[in-house]
Amino acid sequence: MITLRIGIIGLGNMGSDHAKKLIRGTVPEVELTAVSDIDPNRLEVTRAYLPETVGFFGRPEDLMDSGLCDALIIATPHYDHPRLAIQAFDRGMHVLCEKPAGVYTKQVREMNERAQESGLVFAMMFNQRTNPLYRKMHELVHGGQLGAIKRVNWIITDWYRTQAYYDSGSWRATWTGEGGGVLINQCPHNLDLLQWICGMPSKVRAFCHQGKWHDIEVEDDVTAYLEFPNGATGVFITTTADLPGTNRLEITLEMGKLVCENNTLTLHKLSQNERVYCFESKEGFAQPSVDVSVVPAEGDNSQHMGIIASFAKAVLTGAPLIAQGEEGIRSLMLSNAMHLSSWTAETVQLPIDEELYWQELNKRIEESSLSKAQHN
Amino acid sequence: MITLRIGIIGLGNMGSDHAKKLIRGTVPEVELTAVSDIDPNRLEVTRAYLPETVGFFGRPEDLMDSGLCDALIIATPHYDHPRLAIQAFDRGMHVLCEKPAGVYTKQVREMNERAQESGLVFAMMFNQRTNPLYRKMHELVHGGQLGAIKRVNWIITDWYRTQAYYDSGSWRATWTGEGGGVLINQCPHNLDLLQWICGMPSKVRAFCHQGKWHDIEVEDDVTAYLEFPNGATGVFITTTADLPGTNRLEITLEMGKLVCENNTLTLHKLSQNERVYCFESKEGFAQPSVDVSVVPAEGDNSQHMGIIASFAKAVLTGAPLIAQGEEGIRSLMLSNAMHLSSWTAETVQLPIDEELYWQELNKRIEESSLSKAQHN
């Protein structure tokens, strides 16, 4: 079997987890040939469970120039994703990037352009797209049999984190270290699924509360109101402080309603299109009949390893990706739009003013506790 | 048994329904002694099912001056509630007012002041407060054992109405005839329950869409973001166009979560207060244990007749009311705030600028299709 020689850059929680799984042969199409981390201690820890045949590097550029890899998984802090991806494309290497694509769309746009020019395979680690529940929702909404979307409500408040989580690294939950809070760290998957299933909103008005529940400088509580190009509206509600949290995605369409909650997808299917029924009915309080059913959504939920396998197959055989790298900008655009709307206390049109976002982010980086600590 | 002699003003859907039930002796404490409606046809229809011993009047003032009643149920169009209530107080009559209290808080404030001065019994027909599910939520939140509220999400989109409903009267869904749409017609109960259970928000940013789903001039789709004095946030989402709609009220508190949906109240009770746990836990991803249970909420759900009985008992024996008349201004304040926020595209502080609301409402009344029809 021809395999893809992959290197992992960044051996934090995600990178080291991927390394452990790949070295066990979890993805037959992939051979883990090199790893890098700028932290010598972390690299040392990794030597304990990786064989000597794997190349170990401190600088990511040395890994890229080693000739050991044809493709990279980038699992570094968010800010570095675009820069490292561009360096990889320049060297003719395929890239699978951890979420988020970056911290601000301006830098991600450049990454996307360089990916396009390179003709190389570029994928995003949107592993929740492999969840059968969300795949089924995507299929049902895009299939068209339920008509146009009218409303989307996602209460996704089950990202609980204690103060100890935030205290585990000085870079955590700082504008300088991560560039945001729950939106940039926990929610990229949800924001990607939202746009993947429902398309991109055209307007966002968000209310982000920074350090509301934790001793941090970034947002840990967000309520966002969304408007879509067809006039549909929605809310996206998230926090890292609700216990127990909720994960309930409800999509109302012309032909009924989809509700995904408690790992169950329920379809409420109308016998008639509401938009037609509304104007044809002679009765003020009448409703067409509704058929309620649990949608079977079994099957492969391969998560990260499924994304890595699809990435390898795309390189080796040209098979389609689960999540194109270029699509990473969409969830980031949503996250940036929510920040910007909250900072300016105004409704933001999408695509956002990327220059303004970058300026506003920089103001916060200058005031960041991490920046101040680094300057002292 | 001493009974309360009650007159009903306005014999539309609600007024005639109350009359039919009262005449059957549904509320033993009450004797229906008179009715009035300015529409002679409607009055004639009512004669068919009411005995001749009941007094029939065209003008509400004539009913009030007849000496047949000691108390009134006001079930006229919304705009007339405050004026008629004040007339009743001036004559020493007790008042039970249908929801909403009025159309704008300025007029309702005057009604409340006159009620206070009169010392008479003044009640609001907030019959959903008799629902055991909401009574239980009120009890649990106010009991304090769940700690402070952190978040309130009410998706209340099961108020479906067809175009035929709106076409059934030229006054329907007009600024001149009703003074609003889903907020003033369908949602006063929900807005009252929201403030009754959770208290009044201090800020509102709402997005009301007028004539979005129906051929009407008032709002039929609303998403409102709420902030409470303690910092808690929430959303209130409603429409008359979703099918099937949702009625899901979720309240997250320091000690857990209450979810009311599908006529079931579920309590998710934490073993520890989240606000304490968050800062004491040494683990970043840990959570205290949760006990999930369905809250028994059986018992009396007497709705309108329960409210009327409690009103009669308050007059006859001084028993406490289920809903004080003066409390009607709160749900109306919320409804007015949502309109005003949407009209001005700004966050509105509560209490609202009542003069501004009245001016903005009048602009819409001047442009109303009903006003124009009346002038032609």
Side-chain angles (χ1 to χ4, degrees), chain A residues 70-192:
Chain A
D70 302 308
L72 296 180
I73 296 174
I74 298 176
T76 62
H78 314 150
Y79 274 107
D80 297 330
H81 293 178
R83 178 177 57 80
L84 291 167
I86 290 168
Q87 288 181 353
F89 297 139
D90 286 347
R91 288 163 171 81
M93 306 177 84
H94 310 283
V95 171
L96 170 57
C97 185
E98 267 292 345
K99 57 83 195 169
V103 175
Y104 48 101
T105 51
K106 198 175 133 164
Q107 61 167 184
V108 171
R109 195 170 296 283
E110 194 191 339
M111 170 174 72
N112 284 357
E113 286 164 5
R114 300 289 278 275
Q116 288 285 314
E117 289 161 15
S118 75
L120 295 158
V121 174
F122 177 33
M124 278 297 301
M125 187 70 89
F126 285 134
N127 47 286
Q128 290 204 18
R129 287 200 198 177
T130 69
N131 184 324
L133 293 164
Y134 298 125
R135 282 194 282 139
K136 200 73 196 174
M137 290 185 95
H138 179 269
E139 179 189 322
L140 285 167
V141 170
H142 286 253
Q145 63 267 43
L146 298 176
I149 293 175
K150 295 160 68 181
R151 190 180 313 281
V152 183
N153 296 322
W154 202 344
I155 304 174
I156 171 71
T157 51
D158 68 346
W159 287 116
Y160 190 69
R161 298 292 184 269
T162 66
Q163 184 64 37
Y165 165 83
Y166 291 112
D167 292 344
S168 65
S170 61
W171 47 275
R172 275 208 194 275
T174 61
W175 294 111
T176 306
E178 300 199 288
V182 64
L183 287 175
I184 201 91
N185 267 290
Q186 282 76 33
C187 288
H189 291 299
N190 309 109
L191 293 171
D192 176 62

Side-chain angles (χ1 to χ4, degrees), chain A residues 342-361:
Chain A
S342 192
W343 294 341
T344 60
E346 285 181 1
T347 299
V348 163
Q349 304 261 355
L350 275 74
I352 63 164
D353 181 337
E354 300 186 343
E355 193 64 37
L356 177 63
Y357 183 78
W358 188 73
Q359 288 167 14
E360 288 289 328
L361 176 62

Side-chain angles (χ1 to χ4, degrees), chain A residues 129 133-150 152 191-201 228 230 249 251-255 258 265 267 322 327 330:
Chain A
R129 287 200 198 177
L133 293 164
Y134 298 125
R135 282 194 282 139
K136 200 73 196 174
M137 290 185 95
H138 179 269
E139 179 189 322
L140 285 167
V141 170
H142 286 253
Q145 63 267 43
L146 298 176
I149 293 175
K150 295 160 68 181
V152 183
L191 293 171
D192 176 62
L193 291 171
L194 181 71
Q195 72 79 23
W196 186 54
I197 298 170
C198 301
M200 284 292 280
F228 292 82
N230 77 339
L249 172 55
I251 305 176
T252 308
L253 306 102
E254 292 175 332
M255 285 295 295
L258 287 165
L265 176 59
L267 169 63
I322 293 171
E327 293 176 26
R330 297 185 195 162

Side-chain angles (χ1 to χ4, degrees), chain A residues 151 212 221 231 241 246 257, chain B residues 150-151 212 221 231 241 246 257:
Chain A
R151 190 180 313 281
K212 178 173 183 174
D221 194 294
T246 296
K257 182 169 73 169
Chain B
K150 295 160 68 182
R151 190 180 313 281
K212 178 172 183 174
D221 194 294
T246 295
K257 182 168 73 168

Side-chain angles (χ1 to χ4, degrees), chain B residues 40-62:
Chain B
N41 293 331
R42 206 178 250 168
L43 209 54
E44 204 50 43
V45 168
T46 312
R47 280 186 194 276
Y49 59 79
L50 290 185
E52 288 181 9
T53 49
V54 171
F56 285 78
F57 299 92
R59 297 176 62 240
E61 293 81 1
D62 292 341

Side-chain angles (χ1 to χ4, degrees), chain B residues 265-276:
Chain B
L265 176 59
T266 307
L267 169 63
H268 305 248
K269 181 99 182 277
L270 296 175
S271 57
Q272 295 179 58
N273 183 308
E274 184 281 321
R275 290 288 72 210
V276 176

Side-chain angles (χ1 to χ4, degrees), chain A residues 121-369:
Chain A
V121 174
F122 177 33
M124 278 297 301
M125 187 70 89
F126 285 134
N127 47 286
Q128 290 204 18
R129 287 200 198 177
T130 69
N131 184 324
L133 293 164
Y134 298 125
R135 282 194 282 139
K136 200 73 196 174
M137 290 185 95
H138 179 269
E139 179 189 322
L140 285 167
V141 170
H142 286 253
Q145 63 267 43
L146 298 176
I149 293 175
K150 295 160 68 181
R151 190 180 313 281
V152 183
N153 296 322
W154 202 344
I155 304 174
I156 171 71
T157 51
D158 68 346
W159 287 116
Y160 190 69
R161 298 292 184 269
T162 66
Q163 184 64 37
Y165 165 83
Y166 291 112
D167 292 344
S168 65
S170 61
W171 47 275
R172 275 208 194 275
T174 61
W175 294 111
T176 306
E178 300 199 288
V182 64
L183 287 175
I184 201 91
N185 267 290
Q186 282 76 33
C187 288
H189 291 299
N190 309 109
L191 293 171
D192 176 62
L193 291 171
L194 181 71
Q195 72 79 23
W196 186 54
I197 298 170
C198 301
M200 284 292 280
S202 49
K203 289 185 193 174
V204 170
R205 177 66 173 96
F207 306 85
C208 303
H209 298 271
Q210 300 177 180
K212 178 173 183 174
W213 306 109
H214 304 87
D215 184 17
I216 55 174
E217 64 190 38
V218 295
E219 82 285 354
D220 56 3
D221 194 294
V222 176
T223 302
Y225 166 76
L226 315 171
E227 281 186 25
F228 292 82
N230 77 339
T233 61
V235 293
F236 184 87
I237 301 169
T238 192
T239 182
T240 54
D242 277 10
L243 264 188
T246 296
N247 182 357
R248 183 179 188 280
L249 172 55
E250 170 184 278
I251 305 176
T252 308
L253 306 102
E254 292 175 332
M255 285 295 295
K257 182 169 73 169
L258 287 165
V259 182
C260 186
E261 188 175 13
N262 301 323
N263 288 315
T264 304
L265 176 59
T266 307
L267 169 63
H268 305 249
K269 181 97 183 278
L270 296 175
S271 57
Q272 295 178 58
N273 183 308
E274 184 281 321
R275 290 288 72 210
V276 176
Y277 185 86
C278 177
F279 293 92
E280 287 188 347
S281 170
K282 301 281 183 286
E283 301 291 327
F285 293 87
Q287 303 187 0
S289 62
V290 185
D291 182 54
V292 181
S293 62
V294 171
V295 180
E298 311 281 307
D300 181 46
N301 187 3
S302 53
Q303 294 291 333
H304 298 94
M305 294 304 114
I307 295 284
I308 295 174
S310 109
F311 172 63
K313 284 176 195 157
V315 174
L316 297 171
T317 71
L321 290 169
I322 293 171
Q324 290 275 353
E326 288 83 351
E327 293 176 26
I329 200 168
R330 297 185 195 162
S331 47
L332 185 64
M333 175 77 76
L334 278 170
S335 156
N336 284 185
M338 289 177 191
H339 278 148
L340 191 59
S341 168
S342 192
W343 294 341
T344 60
E346 285 181 1
T347 299
V348 163
Q349 304 261 355
L350 275 74
I352 63 164
D353 181 337
E354 300 186 343
E355 193 64 37
L356 177 63
Y357 183 78
W358 188 73
Q359 288 167 14
E360 288 289 328
L361 176 62
N362 270 301
K363 284 187 201 168
R364 284 155 184 86
I365 290 171
E366 281 168 28
E367 293 299 314
S368 169
S369 62

